[in-house]
Amino acid sequence: MPQLAPLALAFPQQTELTVSTFKNVRGPVVFLECLKHENWSEVKHAVDHLFVNEHYSPQEAQHYWYRVTQNNLVFEGILTGVALENNSTPISTHENVLNERVQLFSDYLNEVNRQAEPLLLVHESPEFSTQIKEQICTKPPDFSFTIAQEKHELWGVPPAQAKALETFALNTPQFHLADGHHRLASTLDWGKKQQEQAVVLSFILAHDQLTTDSFLWALKEDALLKNALAKQLDYDPDLPLWVQTKKGIHSFAVPENENTLLYFYHELLGGTKALKNTKIDYFPQGKMPLHLRTNYAAIFGYTSLKIEEIIALAKQQLKLPPKSTYILPKLPTGLFIAPLTEN
């Protein structure tokens, strides 16, 4: 059962923030500049100076109602901490992780000792979210930020509603992780190494709030394609899996009762062992520049999973390969900075 643990978040002093991107990380320029240093010790020094120079202002520990407006879509839920009791997790997951990325994030946390991007968690009680929102959002937001035409609004949760949120969480068997598998694994690793109870910063929404999409998987080498191409069919838009090669676009039929992603990964590409030394580039659907397509021997695409399917997989403890799901909202890194423990 998840235990909510309010964190003392730090917010930027400016409300109109300039956005930047560094190594596929998107966030306020003032924070991303810290990540450009050569090692984590220097990153820590730079982040510490954000507080010394009052670019960020720490707040009292509390829960927040958080509303994000992106591309005319509105996402809202609770922004708070979730305690990872005894370095285990009350959060179900649906994707495997890449060990090298977990180690990278873990090294960052061990040195910098702050988290800067929430996990995206879901629950299955939209009625509760509606009711609690109506009780909290009775006045203008306590904090409001604009970044790259996105609006981020936060309301501090009053004591009565905070108690209701904590009780709701304790009565929920598990939250389900929509986005942030590597961050969760890294935070668990941090807790284990520090022998402390980690509290992971989380944005918790009802499942009907989320929008799901998928990635394109782009392979430059054709060594693994023989098995896949032997099973390809003429292109059929009604089939859930397709590939684009220099010979055109073809589809694949997925056997009944098999998960599309698991079939694609294990049966067509050969699974983890076959892919161990294979470089795959991932692009969200619709965001792969056209001029890059000729650089690849094959580009695979598939029908995105619905959030209900993702939750069902998590409940069955079935793990998809990394980069199987692309779920919105995507939150900026460094808009909120939080400690890794409640105290």
Side-chain angles (χ1 to χ4, degrees), residues 5-11 57-64 79-80 143 156-157 337 339 342:
L7 291 168
L9 301 187
F11 298 145
S57 175
Q59 307 298 315
E60 293 292 327
Q62 64 175 318
H63 309 301
Y64 292 93
L79 183 68
T80 191
F143 300 92
V157 177
I337 301 177
E342 190 173 2

Side-chain angles (χ1 to χ4, degrees), residues 303-320:
T303 303
S304 59
L305 298 178
K306 297 178 181 178
I307 191 62
E308 292 81 5
E309 295 176 283
I310 293 170
I311 292 174
L313 287 169
K315 288 180 176 179
Q316 297 172 57
Q317 298 184 349
L318 292 176
K319 296 290 190 290
L320 298 175

Side-chain angles (χ1 to χ4, degrees), residues 206-270:
H207 70 280
D208 62 352
Q209 284 276 297
L210 301 183
T211 299
T212 61
D213 210 331
S214 58
F215 283 96
L216 298 175
W217 291 36
L219 286 73
K220 288 187 177 180
E221 301 174 8
D222 58 7
L224 293 177
L225 299 182
K226 184 176 180 180
N227 182 52
L229 299 184
K231 298 179 180 181
Q232 70 184 15
L233 305 171
D234 291 339
Y235 177 68
D236 183 343
D238 293 327
L239 293 177
L241 182 59
W242 54 266
V243 64
Q244 179 181 351
T245 66
K246 291 178 171 52
K247 295 183 178 180
I249 302 177
H250 294 82
S251 297
F252 299 92
V254 178
E256 190 175 356
N257 298 324
E258 284 205 37
N259 177 274
T260 298
L261 270 299
L262 293 177
Y263 176 80
F264 164 52
Y265 188 74
H266 292 289
E267 298 299 325
L268 298 189
L269 296 185

Side-chain angles (χ1 to χ4, degrees), residues 38-338:
E38 291 186 3
N39 58 62
W40 293 131
S41 178
E42 293 178 355
V43 170
K44 173 178 170 53
H45 181 75
V47 173
D48 287 346
H49 268 72
L50 293 179
F51 291 82
V52 172
N53 297 328
E54 298 184 347
H55 291 298
Y56 281 75
S57 175
Q59 307 298 315
E60 293 292 327
Q62 64 175 318
H63 309 301
Y64 292 93
W65 185 263
Y66 177 32
R67 179 181 295 159
V68 184
T69 305
Q70 294 179 338
N71 299 320
N72 297 318
L73 297 174
V74 178
F75 308 93
E76 50 189 327
I78 298 301
L79 183 68
T80 191
V82 176
L84 303 180
E85 186 70 37
N86 296 323
N87 301 321
S88 62
T89 173
I91 301 167
S92 68
T93 62
H94 67 271
E95 282 187 6
N96 286 317
V97 294
L98 301 169
N99 290 333
E100 60 270 23
R101 289 196 68 194
V102 173
Q103 189 58 55
L104 177 69
F105 289 140
S106 182
D107 290 345
Y108 163 84
L109 293 176
N110 286 326
E111 184 66 41
V112 180
N113 209 38
R114 290 188 174 100
Q115 47 191 326
E117 183 180 345
L119 300 183
L120 195 62
L121 304 182
V122 295
H123 63 79
E124 298 177 79
S125 301
E127 303 84 3
F128 175 79
S129 285
T130 300
Q131 293 169 5
I132 203 77
K133 176 185 72 173
E134 291 174 350
Q135 297 172 29
I136 296 170
C137 301
T138 59
K139 59 181 179 64
D142 298 311
F143 300 92
S144 182
F145 304 96
T146 301
I147 177 169
Q149 300 181 335
E150 299 175 4
K151 195 167 186 179
H152 299 260
E153 301 169 290
L154 299 105
W155 289 259
V157 177
Q161 285 71 40
K163 182 64 176 177
L165 286 172
E166 292 164 4
T167 301
F168 168 75
L170 290 173
N171 291 328
T172 300
Q174 280 187 313
F175 292 138
H176 307 294
L177 181 60
D179 189 40
H181 286 77
H182 292 91
R183 276 172 277 138
L184 175 61
S186 302
T187 308
L188 285 165
D189 184 66
W190 179 91
K192 181 179 179 181
K193 289 177 178 176
Q194 301 296 325
Q195 296 186 330
E196 289 195 52
Q197 182 188 61
V199 177
V200 63
L201 179 62
S202 303
F203 184 25
I204 309 167
L205 310 86
H207 70 280
D208 62 352
Q209 284 276 297
L210 301 183
T211 299
T212 61
D213 210 331
S214 58
F215 283 96
L216 298 175
W217 291 36
L219 286 73
K220 288 187 177 180
E221 301 174 8
D222 58 7
L224 293 177
L225 299 182
K226 184 176 180 180
N227 182 52
L229 299 184
K231 298 179 180 181
Q232 70 184 15
L233 305 171
D234 291 339
Y235 177 68
D236 183 343
D238 293 327
L239 293 177
L241 182 59
W242 54 266
V243 64
Q244 179 181 351
T245 66
K246 291 178 171 52
K247 295 183 178 180
I249 302 177
H250 294 82
S251 297
F252 299 92
V254 178
E256 190 175 356
N257 298 324
E258 284 205 37
N259 177 274
T260 298
L261 270 299
L262 293 177
Y263 176 80
F264 164 52
Y265 188 74
H266 292 289
E267 298 299 325
L268 298 189
L269 296 185
T272 303
K273 186 175 181 180
L275 291 168
K276 183 177 181 180
N277 298 314
T278 300
K279 177 70 166 65
I280 302 176
D281 292 328
Y282 304 94
F283 299 89
Q285 286 277 10
K287 295 188 178 182
M288 182 180 188
L290 289 176
H291 71 275
L292 292 182
R293 290 181 178 264
T294 56
N295 295 341
Y296 296 96
I299 302 167
F300 289 89
Y302 50 89
T303 303
S304 59
L305 298 178
K306 297 178 181 178
I307 191 62
E308 292 81 5
E309 295 176 283
I310 293 170
I311 292 174
L313 287 169
K315 288 180 176 179
Q316 297 172 57
Q317 298 184 349
L318 292 176
K319 296 290 190 290
L320 298 175
K323 297 295 183 181
S324 292
T325 55
Y326 184 82
I327 299 177
L328 298 176
K330 293 294 182 187
L331 302 177
T333 298
L335 181 56
F336 315 120
I337 301 177

